[in-house]
Amino acid sequence: MVKCKKSENVEIVPEVEEPKPTAGFTFVKPDTLKFLEYQFTGSSTNYKSLLWQFGDDSTSVAVNPKHTYRFPGKYKVTLTTRNGQGYTAAKEVMLNVVDPTIDYSICGENYMKTIGGKFSVNLEAGAGPDSPEGSKKLVDQDINTKFLQAGFDGTQKCTFELNTPQVVGAYTLTSGNDAADRDPRYWILQGSLDGIQYTDLHTVTACPWENTNEGASRKQTKLFHFDNYIAYKFYRLYIKSNRGSRVFQLGEWTINKKQP
């Protein structure tokens, strides 16, 4: 005797589609004297989760975050929202973070060009300083070229020896055109009277460029200021680490007059 299995009626309830999310925000500088600090206020709707990316490797999941940048520069801020069904929305804004106390029109003078001197590195490109990615590309006034050193070991030193000692109070670094893991992350700018004993003038321990291989962070110039009242004859950029690559790259380096 064969028993027939009783069929069961299963009711399938269709999933109700959630409203699509939106992404929106505004931003202000709460204190004009704290030019690196920004307050972001979200106006997004219909989301279950969100993510802020501030363009400097920092993120937040707060609705209205406050963020402080470490350096002046251009940063792409992205807010991404997501609803419960996986639909997303995003808004991007490019911030130009500028120190209001600095006259940028008189920054950027490269003493190798204006007063003369010598430039040298302790670790050279494999094909030599005059090669397409040799060390001379680091001071050629062209951000579209770069210096690339394929044996980076945390001891890269780039040195200006000026014909005439000068009081330097600023410098610029320009990122290379690709591979963000080659960007310098930790470096010290040093000064010397005799080329033997060096004094630390400015130290950076976090990479100022966005960790992406393309877009606005590539071939981007960053300006750094520091306190110095001594006319040094030698200025040295000591690169101690990058983002992890065995290859080091940098598009351009200038040393600059102290602000009046």
Side-chain angles (χ1 to χ4, degrees):
M1 180 177 177
V2 179
K3 294 183 178 181
C4 297
K5 185 178 180 180
K6 184 179 180 180
S7 62
E8 297 180 359
N9 293 324
V10 178
E11 182 179 0
I12 300 176
V13 179
E15 182 180 16
V16 177
E17 185 171 319
E18 297 180 10
K20 298 294 190 299
T22 67
F25 64 88
T26 58
F27 59 89
V28 296
K29 287 186 282 188
D31 187 338
T32 56
L33 297 179
K34 298 179 180 178
F35 70 95
L36 295 170
E37 184 178 278
Y38 282 76
Q39 174 66 57
F40 297 90
T41 302
S43 57
S44 306
T45 61
N46 305 325
Y47 65 90
K48 292 293 181 63
S49 63
L50 58 78
L51 176 66
W52 295 86
Q53 297 169 287
F54 298 110
D56 61 351
D57 293 339
S58 299
T59 61
S60 175
V61 294
V63 176
N64 303 310
K66 179 180 288 186
H67 183 67
T68 302
Y69 290 95
R70 297 191 63 181
F71 312 103
K74 294 182 179 180
Y75 300 93
K76 183 174 70 174
V77 179
T78 304
L79 171 61
T80 303
T81 58
R82 182 185 299 270
N83 71 3
Q85 295 175 324
Y87 290 99
T88 63
K91 178 178 179 178
E92 296 180 350
V93 169
M94 186 65 71
L95 287 185
N96 188 19
V97 181
V98 176
D99 186 341
T101 67
I102 296 174
D103 182 358
Y104 286 86
S105 68
I106 60 175
C107 295
E109 182 178 358
N110 185 323
Y111 283 107
M112 291 297 294
K113 181 178 179 181
T114 59
I115 68 167
K118 299 177 182 178
F119 176 71
S120 62
V121 297
N122 66 319
L123 299 174
E124 184 56 79
D130 294 304
S131 62
E133 294 183 336
S135 61
K136 289 185 179 180
K137 299 300 182 182
L138 191 56
V139 292
D140 64 353
Q141 307 293 300
D142 184 358
I143 66 170
N144 295 303
T145 63
K146 69 179 180 183
F147 168 45
L148 186 142
Q149 202 278 324
F152 180 70
D153 61 1
T155 65
Q156 182 71 55
K157 299 181 180 70
C158 308
T159 305
F160 282 123
E161 179 185 352
L162 306 181
N163 288 342
T164 305
Q166 295 289 333
V167 178
V168 169
Y171 64 101
T172 66
L173 296 180
T174 303
S175 58
N177 64 323
D178 60 15
D181 62 349
R182 302 172 180 177
D183 291 340
R185 182 186 67 82
Y186 172 21
W187 69 82
I188 305 172
L189 183 78
Q190 302 172 316
S192 174
L193 298 172
D194 57 9
I196 300 173
Q197 293 184 322
Y198 279 86
T199 299
D200 292 352
L201 301 175
H202 187 252
T203 300
V204 174
T205 58
C207 188
W209 296 284
E210 189 177 356
N211 191 7
T212 178
N213 293 342
E214 55 187 20
S217 68
R218 299 300 92 207
K219 297 190 288 187
Q220 183 185 77
T221 299
K222 297 286 187 178
L223 174 65
F224 305 91
H225 283 81
F226 56 94
D227 291 330
N228 174 43
Y229 300 93
I230 299 175
Y232 290 107
K233 183 176 176 62
F234 297 84
Y235 288 91
R236 184 170 75 180
L237 189 64
Y238 182 8
I239 311 293
K240 299 180 73 69
S241 72
N242 58 14
R243 278 198 173 104
S245 175
R246 289 285 295 165
V247 177
F248 165 76
Q249 71 174 9
L250 193 59
E252 193 74 15
W253 174 35
T254 73
I255 54 175
N256 315 95
K257 287 182 177 179
K258 185 174 180 62
Q259 289 291 293

